[in-house]
Amino acid sequence: MERLKQMTRDQIIESMTAEDLRYDEYESKVTEYMDKAKTVDDVNLLLEVACHRRNEALVDAITSVLGRRHTFSGIAVQGNSASVDRLLNLIAEMLSQTWHGAYEDLVAELEKFPHPKTIEALRQMVDIKPAILAELDDGDALSRKAIWALGKIASPLDDRKIDPEIKSAALDVLHVLSSHSDKLVVERIHKQLDRISKSHHEDSIEAQLKDAST
């Protein structure tokens, strides 16, 4: 660990690409790298290494360390930029791959980014059933999380300010999916649509009461 502390970010990256390592070894390297990381591009470089190495232990270490640090949440509040656009492309690329099992972790991070690319990636995750997850629950949890994420973009549960066009796009996708051939998907979609409808109704009443008091 002391040797890692003395290494530069580039040296740590080089050590991760030199050979396949154990999860705990990758976790130590990713942790030390993130201690030195300063920009979104530094995070992008880490994801690029993961895509290049196609190493499941490395991806697990990255999603674990970045998740504990709330790295993606911190990036999301910075707003859109070319670097964030690249980040979303990298996450979408990783979601399209079949050599890892970090789909659910990546979907959970995606919902923090209200963006057209996010909506499309989440839509695809409703249907995709990676072989590695099919052995566990046939990809059911992934589909559920993707639907939940779309719902939270269409109607946030917190006070996030999301572009109305993005919210509308997520809602449109939910409406399209409401005629899905999988009855369980349809049931989950309707739960989200019902929640959103109720939320909009409550917002409308609140706005009317506010107008009446002014």
Side-chain angles (χ1 to χ4, degrees):
M1 183 62 75
E2 192 60 37
R3 178 171 172 271
L4 272 175
K5 290 182 179 299
Q6 297 172 359
M7 296 171 69
T8 66
R9 283 171 296 167
D10 289 344
Q11 288 172 329
I12 295 173
I13 287 292
E14 185 177 353
S15 71
M16 284 192 281
T17 60
E19 59 182 338
D20 289 334
L21 304 171
R22 301 189 311 270
Y23 170 83
D24 61 309
E25 293 174 314
Y26 278 130
E27 184 179 33
S28 295
K29 290 179 181 292
V30 172
T31 298
E32 191 59 38
Y33 176 83
M34 289 306 300
D35 283 345
K36 303 174 188 294
K38 301 182 183 302
T39 68
V40 179
D41 287 330
D42 289 332
V43 177
N44 287 345
L45 178 58
L46 195 59
L47 295 179
E48 287 167 1
V49 170
C51 289
H52 174 72
R53 291 293 297 167
R54 300 173 69 87
N55 183 292
E56 186 176 358
L58 174 55
V59 175
D60 286 344
I62 291 172
T63 55
S64 178
V65 172
L66 271 59
R68 291 197 300 267
R69 289 170 173 251
H70 306 291
T71 299
F72 292 111
S73 296
I75 293 173
V77 298
Q78 298 177 25
N80 293 329
S81 66
S83 295
V84 170
D85 197 61
R86 174 58 178 156
L87 173 68
L88 295 177
N89 285 339
L90 286 165
I91 293 177
E93 181 180 348
M94 293 177 73
L95 285 170
S96 71
Q97 302 299 316
T98 60
W99 47 267
H100 64 85
Y103 302 93
E104 291 179 30
D105 291 333
L106 291 170
V107 162
E109 301 297 355
L110 262 186
E111 72 178 41
K112 300 176 175 65
F113 297 90
H115 190 284
K117 291 182 179 180
T118 297
I119 294 171
E120 175 57 23
L122 290 173
R123 185 196 65 76
Q124 293 179 15
M125 290 303 104
V126 172
D127 287 322
I128 194 171
K129 297 186 182 297
I132 194 169
L133 296 184
E135 298 172 4
L136 301 174
D137 62 2
D138 199 31
D140 180 65
L142 177 62
S143 177
R144 172 171 49 80
K145 289 185 177 181
I147 292 169
W148 181 243
L150 283 167
K152 288 171 73 175
I153 292 175
S155 181
L157 295 173
D158 52 26
D159 58 357
R160 284 190 301 166
K161 301 299 181 184
I162 296 180
D163 186 327
E165 290 188 4
I166 298 296
K167 293 169 70 173
S168 179
L171 186 59
D172 287 345
V173 169
L174 288 172
H175 279 298
V176 169
L177 290 172
S178 66
S179 60
H180 199 281
S181 58
D182 187 324
K183 291 182 179 179
L184 186 55
V185 168
V186 172
E187 179 183 333
R188 289 170 174 163
I189 292 292
H190 280 300
K191 283 183 178 179
Q192 286 300 310
L193 291 174
D194 288 344
R195 178 187 69 80
I196 292 167
S197 178
K198 181 180 179 181
S199 175
H200 287 176
H201 179 65
E202 291 174 348
D203 289 345
S204 176
I205 293 177
E206 184 178 343
Q208 290 174 22
L209 291 173
K210 185 176 180 180
D211 289 341
S213 65
T214 57

